[in-house]
Amino acid sequence: MTDIPARAAPSSVSGGSALLTLMKLRTFIALIAVLVFFSLAAPNFLSAANLILMAKHVALNAFLAMGMTFVIITGGIDLSVGSIVGLCGMVAGYLVLNGIDLQIGYTIYFNVFEIILITLVVGIAIGAVNGLLITRLNVAPFIATLGVLYVARGFALLSSDGRTFPNLVGKAELGTTGFGFLGAGRLFGLPVSIWILVVVALGAAYLAKYTPLGRHIFAVGGNERAARISGVRVNMVKMFVYMFSGFCAAIVGLIISSELMASHPATGESFELNAIAAAVLGGTSMSGGRGTIGGTIVGAFVIGILSDGLVMMGVSSFWQMVIKGLVIIVAVVVDQAQRRLQQRVSLMQMAKAG
Amino acid sequence: MSAGHDVILKLEDVSKVYAGTVAVKQANFEVRKGAVNVLVGENGAGKSTLMKIIAGVEKPTAGRILLEGEEVSFSSSGDAVNRGIGMVFQELNLFGNMTVAENIFATREITNRFRKIDRKAQEMRAGAFLDRLEAGIRPDMLVEDLRIGQQQLVEIAKAVSLDAKILIMDEPTSALSAAEVEILFKVIADLKARGVAIVYISHRLEELIRIGDYITVLRDGRITGQEEMANVDTQWIVRQMIGSDAKDFAKADGHQPGAEIFRAQEICLPRVTGGLAVDHVSLSLRAGEILGIYGLMGAGRSELFDCIMGRHGHASGRIFIAGKQVKERDTTRRIQRGLALIPEDRQREGLVPILSVASNLTLASLSRFVRLFHISGGAERGAVAQMVRELAIKVADPAQEVSSLSGGNQQKVVIGKALLTGPKVLLMDEPSRGIDVGAKADVFRTMRKLSRDGLGILFATSDLDEVMALSDRIAVMSNGRLTGMFDRAEATEAAIVAASALGHGPSPLAPAHLASAHGEQR
């Protein structure tokens, strides 16, 4: 068994490296593949209007997936993001329609900027609850965020008795107009939500690569004990990733209610699964320590384009689910194969170096 | 040797080679029926390897094993069990989520006609074994609810229940209280009377002398002495363990240590199983001094370091750096005050394996390279390159994953990480463990250089040669207590070994002391 790689080493090192490069770029290759396939198979697929529409769809999942990526890199999981989307949408809708009744005959109405700020704070606060449950009370991330999933969804439904807050146009005399800008507005020809995605993604990628906090996120996921001994404040790092995930979910909640000009309490159901799928497709390892923001964004685009393209081709939604599932499974299988190949190649290189 | 007992198992010229190291060299070892055959040696001398060969866990590279005069070769531990060889392992091999009875009968469950496990019969039989151990363990208790000492007793009951002809016990008393040790000795006497051959490994010399019939001493994988216990004393054992040929270590440069840089006062750490893992330890360290802490496994060296680094919230005691008390209780701020730890377990606590060499090196000192919130790539690369050069880390590209390095170079990365924090006091826990000779020499040279630069170094080891050669002063720990403090000039190996065995084994005071400690725990 040992003599075969030894003999084959010179030729298969370069062969292995080429294959390895291909495998590392697999998400990009998948992205190009779906783009090429649908531009041939679906008419109008490559039209500017369609591409922008798809990007808007993808952006929603991409926000959640970015937050999820940091959480997964630390070795955790956040199942509550879908519910945070729903609850934050309801908070924004409630504030636009009703303001806050101070119970003394006065009601405070906030302008759109303040409403956005408050909603983001609510998202971050729910993330903080996740973080506190996990760091202080030692609840497993899966269970803690599952619990928060139900609680947040419950509050979203309670906030309106399960009804939709319709027609969030606001009143000019109260200064609550303009909520639609987030979802429908455009800057330099592109939707506002795309611009927000670009800003948040660049920020997150910068954080991951060039700040101590980013380095610490990877260290915690790679080896929590070693990180702790090296002086990393593990609990603070974990608090941050769940709060960031809540922040991303709040953005999504705002954008969706702004697009629809209405808040529905069931918004965001099962969004968490799409976010996990995008992160995993983008190369984030569920066992922690590995992942990139760029990969996750590409992963989100693959999933989004796949489902939109299939819709345009008229494939039934049932088949769409089957295809999406298969793509995710194949992605992880390739990921594992890449790991093994990488180990082999680096061992060979070490052997060659002596 | 007189043959008061028949030989049941004989190893002839057995060797075991692992990649690169020879663990056992041409060992000839006899196990006698109805007697306690004691095996003793320093950590890493090859005792456990030898036992694993007998128990069928490892296969010898060369040599023959004769069981009752017939050559045998075990392909697995199950094979050895079938031939009547049972083993109590040092690390507990129990399933915490199952009951005591289920553990004792794991893989040989008692079943009824329909292949259903007969829980009642298992618990009854298990109860009989446990009664002999007088430990108050019920067979239907979950193993994870038991104290470590009680778990060790379950492990022993499991081995006894095999009805083995040869029973190997690897440090069976390491977690037992004095009273429990007494019971174990009664059980051993009982087994002896039934003709069982017992192989007994322990570091505790008094214990060995008390229950052993034959003694075999191992050093560096070689058997250096084999005697009847009646003919030997402690001095003889120590002499055989250490040998006369001292290894060659780089000598000190003779610089004088400076003022006191670190002091620990009355450090205490309660043990989960009751008692104290670190028992009122006080010590002082001067700048430029290397203080070696010698002790056997479980002596509390690592725990002391953990307390100093603030890894245990419930530890008590005070520490001072350069005369000022360190009030910070968390690791992060203690590192900022100038403490740094090189942990014993490199893989689990020292490194983040999937990060690069560079990221690992700077992990503890990132704040040094940060402007506002941005890690300055140039400054970081500069520091990494400097460390790679200073410590002679063999790495082609610092962006390489740290797990691709050899053990010695990984250890240098851990040391470099600690040094980049700019420590005043360096705690090194077994810094030479599991690394090759060349890297060891590099590590030792680095320690000397650091001490010359004025760092205070506390290093823990269970290697006698190492502690003798490297330390300016030697502290000895045993059972959580500081049992000796020697200047290098006056230290002798015999005195150090004697101090490291203090407080072990049954002593008239121990039972009452331990009993009260157990009472307090719940």
Side-chain angles (χ1 to χ4, degrees):
Chain A
M1 205 186 124
T2 46
D3 60 341
I4 297 167
R7 259 192 290 118
S11 62
S12 72
V13 165
S14 56
S17 305
L19 188 57
L20 197 61
T21 318
L22 273 184
M23 279 176 153
K24 274 184 181 160
L25 293 174
R26 64 186 180 281
T27 329
F28 264 109
I29 294 168
L31 180 63
I32 292 164
V34 290
L35 278 174
V36 170
F37 175 75
F38 286 120
S39 52
L40 295 179
N44 292 335
F45 179 81
L46 274 184
S47 69
N50 184 51
L51 286 179
I52 287 175
L53 187 70
M54 274 197 314
K56 276 180 81 172
H57 288 165
V58 170
L60 298 178
N61 188 21
F63 276 116
L64 299 180
M66 279 192 293
M68 191 67 77
T69 301
F70 280 150
V71 171
I72 294 179
I73 289 175
T74 64
I77 189 93
D78 188 353
L79 299 178
S80 64
V81 288
S83 295
I84 300 179
V85 169
L87 182 55
C88 285
M90 294 310 280
V91 167
Y94 186 91
L95 290 177
V96 170
L97 286 189
N98 305 328
I100 293 178
D101 188 353
L102 292 180
Q103 310 289 340
I104 48 169
Y106 289 98
T107 301
I108 303 183
Y109 286 95
F110 299 96
N111 67 31
V112 170
F113 182 70
E114 289 162 345
I115 287 171
I116 290 172
L117 227 52
I118 292 170
T119 309
L120 292 177
V121 168
V122 169
I124 293 171
I126 300 172
V129 171
N130 279 328
L132 286 173
L133 286 172
I134 289 158
T135 57
R136 301 285 156 197
L137 302 179
N138 264 331
V139 185
F142 192 98
I143 306 299
T145 55
L146 182 67
V148 171
L149 178 156
Y150 285 116
V151 173
R153 183 64 70 198
F155 276 122
L157 290 161
L158 282 169
S159 70
S160 67
D161 258 343
R163 285 190 295 270
T164 304
F165 289 136
N167 205 16
L168 303 179
V169 186
K171 296 191 184 95
E173 68 269 27
L174 297 172
T176 56
T177 50
F179 186 62
F181 180 69
L182 270 184
R186 288 193 172 220
L187 276 175
F188 310 114
L190 282 179
V192 172
S193 60
I194 303 288
W195 287 113
I196 301 175
L197 176 68
V198 169
V199 169
V200 174
L202 287 178
Y206 175 82
L207 180 108
K209 217 167 154 56
Y210 295 109
T211 66
L213 179 59
R215 203 67 72 74
H216 290 170
I217 289 172
F218 283 90
V220 167
N223 186 345
E224 193 174 320
R225 290 168 68 111
R228 215 181 277 275
I229 292 175
S230 303
V232 174
R233 295 180 198 272
V234 172
N235 284 355
M236 266 170 55
V237 170
K238 288 189 177 173
M239 286 297 293
F240 169 80
V241 295
Y242 289 99
M243 285 160 75
F244 180 71
S245 183
F247 169 76
C248 289
I251 295 177
V252 174
L254 283 168
I255 292 175
I256 292 181
S257 7
S258 167
E259 257 173 8
L260 304 174
M261 290 308 270
S263 306
H264 184 63
T267 306
E269 266 175 4
S270 85
F271 276 20
E272 59 276 354
L273 300 181
N274 277 326
I276 295 170
V280 169
L281 203 58
T284 310
S285 157
M286 289 299 283
S287 51
R290 228 181 282 260
T292 59
I293 293 296
T296 295
I297 302 277
V298 175
F301 269 92
V302 171
I303 290 186
I305 291 173
L306 196 66
S307 47
D308 278 17
L310 290 172
V311 170
M312 289 178 73
M313 280 176 68
V315 177
S316 91
S317 63
F318 305 149
W319 275 112
Q320 284 180 37
M321 287 171 109
V322 172
I323 292 168
K324 198 158 99 183
L326 290 177
V327 167
I328 292 166
I329 292 169
V330 168
V332 175
V333 170
V334 174
D335 189 53
Q336 291 300 329
Q338 183 211 327
R339 273 310 132 68
R340 278 199 299 275
L341 187 67
Q342 192 153 20
Q343 270 170 2
R344 270 230 316 270
V345 169
S346 64
L347 274 179
M348 279 178 201
Q349 279 164 351
M350 270 161 76
K352 223 169 66 168
Chain B
M1 259 199 275
S2 78
H5 303 92
D6 296 335
V7 172
I8 179 166
L9 181 92
K10 200 168 169 183
L11 301 188
E12 284 185 357
D13 287 332
V14 165
S15 296
K16 173 76 193 176
V17 183
Y18 291 108
T21 59
V22 183
V24 176
K25 292 171 200 156
Q26 299 185 331
N28 288 291
F29 180 54
E30 288 173 347
V31 178
R32 287 160 191 277
K33 236 178 173 168
V36 176
N37 304 264
V38 162
L39 194 62
V40 65
E42 283 190 67
N43 285 348
K47 296 170 305 219
S48 292
T49 309
L50 199 59
M51 290 310 101
K52 281 178 182 166
I53 289 172
I54 297 177
V57 179
E58 300 274 5
K59 273 186 162 179
T61 318
R64 302 200 302 159
I65 306 173
L66 299 172
L67 182 61
E68 291 173 315
E70 170 197 349
E71 184 170 346
V72 290
S73 147
F74 303 127
S75 56
S76 71
S77 60
D79 236 11
V81 168
N82 290 338
R83 301 297 297 264
I85 300 177
M87 178 153 177
V88 180
F89 288 92
Q90 200 174 338
E91 36 323 325
L92 297 172
N93 287 335
L94 295 173
F95 307 108
N97 55 345
M98 297 191 196
T99 67
V100 172
E102 281 165 350
N103 265 285
I104 289 178
F105 291 102
T107 72
R108 48 200 178 93
E109 288 81 2
I110 302 172
T111 51
N112 66 12
R113 270 183 303 158
F114 306 108
R115 301 288 298 156
K116 178 187 169 294
I117 292 175
D118 191 343
R119 195 170 52 85
K120 272 208 186 111
Q122 279 197 21
E123 285 181 1
M124 222 171 63
R125 298 240 332 249
F129 291 115
L130 293 168
D131 283 347
R132 275 165 61 189
L133 291 169
E134 302 171 37
I137 305 169
R138 287 197 325 271
D140 59 344
M141 283 170 148
L142 278 184
V143 164
E144 65 191 3
D145 293 339
L146 300 177
R147 287 187 296 108
I148 298 286
Q150 289 178 318
Q151 292 187 11
Q152 206 158 26
L153 289 173
V154 172
E155 183 85 39
I156 291 165
K158 183 176 163 186
V160 170
S161 77
L162 294 171
D163 260 332
K165 284 182 286 189
I166 301 174
L167 188 56
I168 304 166
M169 299 184 169
D170 193 353
E171 302 251 12
T173 55
S174 59
L176 296 188
S177 70
E180 287 164 340
V181 170
E182 288 303 311
I183 295 162
L184 174 64
F185 285 0
K186 248 194 283 178
V187 172
I188 289 178
D190 191 30
L191 290 168
K192 244 168 79 171
R194 295 198 340 231
V196 175
I198 291 159
V199 180
Y200 192 93
I201 300 177
S202 179
H203 279 301
R204 303 179 179 177
L205 300 186
E206 308 98 318
E207 216 175 275
L208 301 178
I209 290 181
R210 198 172 138 212
I211 66 154
D213 296 305
Y214 300 92
I215 180 162
T216 305
V217 186
L218 268 173
R219 169 158 43 93
D220 292 339
R222 222 182 274 281
I223 288 178
T224 53
Q226 233 167 345
E227 260 303 340
E228 262 185 79
M229 192 59 92
N231 304 335
V232 305
D233 57 6
T234 319
Q235 265 85 46
W236 181 89
I237 299 175
V238 171
R239 213 163 44 240
Q240 301 299 323
M241 268 171 71
I242 300 163
S244 48
D245 50 333
K247 290 170 199 160
D248 209 23
F249 280 90
K251 281 277 168 269
D253 48 23
H255 72 270
Q256 286 299 315
E260 179 188 87
I261 192 156
F262 174 78
R263 182 153 42 100
Q265 273 183 353
E266 300 281 309
I267 305 277
C268 283
L269 177 69
R271 211 194 293 267
V272 190
T273 55
L276 293 171
V278 178
D279 195 349
H280 297 91
V281 173
S282 302
L283 49 81
S284 145
L285 178 74
R286 293 157 71 182
E289 185 183 37
I290 301 181
L291 174 57
I293 302 181
Y294 178 80
L296 304 170
M297 214 144 54
R301 294 165 296 154
S302 305
E303 290 79 1
L304 172 65
F305 282 3
D306 288 350
C307 293
I308 294 174
M309 287 308 292
R311 291 179 66 194
H312 295 293
H314 51 289
S316 62
R318 286 177 298 168
I319 60 173
F320 300 83
I321 290 178
K324 282 201 281 284
Q325 186 171 359
V326 178
K327 295 225 175 70
E328 291 88 349
R329 296 196 59 80
D330 61 300
T331 313
T332 312
R333 282 182 294 169
R334 287 198 175 182
I335 290 175
Q336 285 163 6
R337 286 293 299 268
L339 287 166
L341 170 69
I342 288 149
E344 178 181 12
D345 193 331
R346 194 162 54 234
Q347 298 300 337
R348 286 181 58 207
E349 311 200 311
L351 295 169
V352 184
I354 61 178
L355 289 187
S356 69
V357 172
S359 299
N360 269 287
L361 273 170
T362 55
L363 180 59
S365 52
L366 277 175
S367 53
R368 274 181 56 185
F369 314 112
V370 169
R371 249 180 255 124
L372 216 57
F373 49 78
H374 179 84
I375 299 176
S376 153
E380 192 189 3
R381 274 193 300 277
V384 167
Q386 185 200 342
M387 267 305 145
V388 168
R389 200 170 51 241
E390 267 178 29
L391 297 177
I393 301 172
K394 287 194 194 69
V395 58
D397 176 5
Q400 215 171 311
E401 271 185 25
V402 77
S403 54
S404 67
L405 299 188
S406 70
N409 282 307
Q410 289 187 3
Q411 182 71 342
K412 289 179 190 171
V413 171
V414 180
I415 293 174
K417 179 175 72 174
L419 292 183
L420 277 174
T421 63
K424 299 191 182 81
V425 180
L426 196 56
L427 313 174
M428 308 177 93
D429 198 352
E430 299 270 6
S432 69
R433 187 178 153 193
I435 65 181
D436 60 276
V437 186
K440 253 185 214 185
D442 281 349
V443 168
F444 294 150
R445 242 196 320 277
T446 306
M447 286 168 69
R448 285 249 182 266
K449 186 180 156 291
L450 293 171
S451 75
R452 198 164 51 236
D453 296 347
L455 244 75
I457 297 180
L458 272 176
F459 91 106
T461 181
S462 50
D463 186 321
L464 205 48
D465 290 332
E466 224 174 271
V467 80
M468 292 294 284
L470 284 168
S471 323
D472 296 316
R473 275 189 304 149
I474 297 168
V476 183
M477 280 187 79
S478 172
N479 231 358
R481 283 205 305 274
L482 204 59
T483 53
M485 179 67 86
F486 306 90
D487 270 328
R488 195 205 340 239
E490 69 186 30
T492 63
E493 291 177 339
I496 292 171
V497 171
S500 74
L502 277 181
H504 277 306
S507 74
L509 266 173
H513 161 72
L514 283 173
S516 67
H518 289 161
E520 281 161 20
Q521 73 161 329
R522 234 165 263 170

